[in-house]
Amino acid sequence: MVCFRVFPVPGSGLVLVCLVLGALRSYALELTLQDSGKATCLYAKWQMTFRVRYETTNKTYKTQTISDLGTVTYNGSICGDEQSGPRIAVQFRSGFSWIANFTKAASTYSIDSISFSYNTSDDTTFPDAKDKGMHTVYHPLAIKIPLNKIFRCSSLSTLENNDVVQHYWDVHVQAFVQNGTVSKNEFLCDKDKTSTVVPTIHTTVPSPTTAPTPKEKPEAGTYSVNNGNGTCLLATMGLQLNITQDKVASVININPNTTHSTGSCQSHTALLRLNSSTIKYLDFVFAVKNENRFYLKEVNVSMNLVNGSVFSIANNNLSYWDAPLGSSYMCNKEQTVSVSGAFQINTFDLRVQPFNVIEGKYSTAQECSLDDDTILIPIIVGAGLSGLIIVIVIAYLIGRRKSYAGYQTL
């Protein structure tokens, strides 16, 4: 951990900002603020990307995704005092900044607001921008969290304002840390809660578990993510959702013709988000491990069911679709991604490459074990040899028995 001094803040003494080395390489930001007594007053860890739509000089519009933040500083981040609350201030690229403000009540603290400022004079990020200069979007939030609890939201959260879309995920934050120790008690955002309480009418007859109606194989769809420099993620798959809620099981095939894809690409993480008229979001989050392989790390879903309820599940501790970087992962046969006991995804004709996509095409695929038919050859040969050996042994035993029967005792 490296700590460096930030300018003195009136009323709060000298603030120390501590950065965990390695966090910036994956664009996961992690910040620990300490007061003048070297006690932790604020802790935050999160990931974020931005998508900005702007007008060009030839009166067309372009959309730029900002996921690589580059060199990051935290000047202006403070623990807070009686006059002003805690604040996280992040600076990156050329004149870009992001600020989160916190306030405190009697028994709660709040993520009060978030503001994002970007510079369209940065020709590298916004080539041919017509309106050059600084632009700021502001979002009041008022997310209330009990004191001495850490706020967690692993699911993808989105803020939209005019031409700017902000994405956040893997958020862990605690302001007003008590006794200098970050709490282990979590306060979950709504999307991370594993179930949605739906009003039910109670009767004297218990509701049995309803078996899902079998579904035919879903149609495979092709989805992609563009980071402004070309395609950065490719996915082809047929998706079948298996949902259990209130003891009722249902199977839903995703129609690729009515499903849209968005997302973001970073050096160590990539996001594919699918949505439709009924699916608010279905997120596949990929990560890099050991600097040489990728895998499916997280799945988040929120969707409207036919009974009018909302079904939401999040799991950021998965390990599926493992393959070397620079290749794609392929599994043509049916495969199941178990997100939770209430939610599984069956995939068909799957091929995915979340990193190192070249010219919008898949690289050489690593096939799943289900597709590897070469393993059947030694199994068949082994079974044949085993059967032959058994036949020989039986024949030998029968022959010995007959030979013994030919002799008489004197």
Side-chain angles (χ1 to χ4, degrees):
M1 180 177 290
V2 175
C3 298
F4 59 89
R5 294 178 182 270
V6 183
F7 56 84
V9 179
S12 62
L14 187 63
V15 178
L16 296 178
V17 177
C18 302
L19 306 182
V20 176
L21 291 178
L24 297 184
R25 288 198 299 270
S26 65
Y27 307 108
L29 307 180
E30 187 165 5
L31 169 69
T32 300
L33 282 180
Q34 296 179 342
D35 59 21
S36 56
K38 295 187 177 180
T40 299
C41 62
L42 185 148
Y43 173 79
K45 179 181 178 182
W46 75 105
Q47 297 195 55
M48 61 183 180
T49 62
F50 308 92
R51 191 170 72 244
V52 179
R53 181 176 178 267
Y54 68 98
E55 186 178 4
T56 65
T57 53
N58 60 4
K59 297 182 179 181
T60 61
Y61 285 87
K62 289 185 178 180
T63 299
Q64 182 64 273
T65 299
I66 304 167
S67 55
D68 184 349
L69 306 185
T71 302
V72 174
T73 59
Y74 295 84
N75 297 324
S77 299
I78 60 173
C79 292
D81 52 28
E82 294 181 358
Q83 285 74 39
S84 58
R87 178 173 67 243
I88 299 175
V90 182
Q91 302 83 38
F92 55 97
R93 291 206 176 189
S94 176
F96 291 67
S97 65
W98 180 89
I99 296 175
N101 291 295
F102 300 83
T103 58
K104 181 181 178 182
S107 60
T108 62
Y109 67 94
S110 299
I111 305 175
D112 189 65
S113 63
I114 286 177
S115 62
F116 168 58
S117 299
Y118 58 98
N119 186 7
T120 52
S121 297
D122 182 351
D123 293 330
T124 302
T125 307
F126 302 105
D128 305 320
K130 177 183 177 182
D131 184 15
K132 296 184 179 295
M134 293 297 301
H135 305 266
T136 300
V137 292
Y138 174 83
H139 289 272
L141 296 178
I143 301 175
K144 293 185 178 181
I145 306 145
L147 284 173
N148 204 30
K149 282 195 176 184
I150 185 169
F151 175 75
R152 191 197 83 185
C153 196
S154 300
S155 305
L156 185 73
S157 299
T158 302
L159 297 178
E160 297 187 37
N161 190 318
N162 297 328
D163 294 326
V164 178
V165 178
Q166 305 176 49
H167 291 304
Y168 302 94
W169 68 99
D170 286 342
V171 177
H172 297 75
V173 61
Q174 183 180 0
F176 304 98
V177 174
Q178 300 181 13
N179 302 320
T181 303
V182 177
S183 177
K184 294 182 180 179
N185 295 323
E186 295 181 335
F187 180 80
L188 303 183
C189 66
D190 290 339
K191 289 183 179 180
D192 277 12
K193 294 176 181 176
T194 57
S195 63
T196 303
V197 178
V198 180
T200 57
I201 300 175
H202 296 281
T203 64
T204 56
V205 180
S207 300
T209 300
T210 303
T213 303
K215 285 275 186 178
E216 60 183 11
K217 178 180 175 181
E219 180 183 351
T222 298
Y223 312 99
S224 63
V225 176
N226 192 301
N227 64 356
N229 298 318
T231 301
C232 59
L233 183 152
L234 283 172
T236 302
M237 50 191 171
L239 296 173
Q240 188 176 79
L241 310 183
N242 294 268
I243 298 171
T244 302
Q245 188 178 56
D246 296 334
K247 297 183 179 181
V248 177
S250 58
V251 177
I252 302 172
N253 285 350
I254 290 184
N255 182 358
N257 300 318
T258 57
T259 303
H260 307 284
S261 62
T262 57
S264 62
C265 300
Q266 303 176 58
S267 61
H268 282 63
T269 58
L271 164 70
L272 172 65
R273 161 170 281 197
L274 305 181
N275 61 76
S276 65
S277 58
T278 57
I279 300 174
K280 297 171 64 178
Y281 58 83
L282 174 58
D283 297 338
F284 297 90
V285 180
F286 300 87
V288 173
K289 65 178 180 180
N290 301 326
E291 301 295 332
N292 59 5
R293 301 186 71 85
F294 71 83
Y295 69 105
L296 177 65
K297 179 181 184 294
E298 180 177 348
V299 170
N300 306 312
V301 65
S302 181
M303 59 185 298
N304 300 315
L305 300 182
V306 292
N307 63 1
S309 64
V310 177
F311 179 83
S312 297
I313 289 289
N315 189 336
N316 65 347
N317 193 31
L318 302 176
S319 184
Y320 292 96
W321 307 350
D322 186 296
L325 281 176
S327 68
S328 59
Y329 175 86
M330 183 168 67
C331 197
N332 290 318
K333 294 184 179 179
E334 181 179 355
Q335 192 178 30
T336 300
V337 175
S338 182
V339 182
S340 74
F343 183 58
Q344 296 83 40
I345 303 175
N346 294 336
T347 63
F348 304 80
D349 301 321
L350 169 70
R351 190 168 186 180
V352 62
Q353 185 171 346
F355 301 98
N356 302 340
V357 177
I358 300 175
E359 296 181 352
K361 298 179 181 179
Y362 285 111
S363 300
T364 303
Q366 173 170 306
E367 296 186 43
C368 65
S369 58
L370 295 174
D371 285 356
D372 190 359
D373 295 332
T374 57
I375 194 173
L376 294 177
I377 297 176
I379 292 176
I380 293 173
V381 173
L385 290 175
S386 299
L388 180 61
I389 292 172
I390 292 172
V391 170
I392 293 173
V393 170
I394 292 174
Y396 172 74
L397 293 175
I398 293 175
R400 282 178 59 87
R401 184 176 179 183
K402 288 182 178 180
S403 62
Y404 283 132
Y407 294 93
Q408 300 294 328
T409 302
L410 298 177

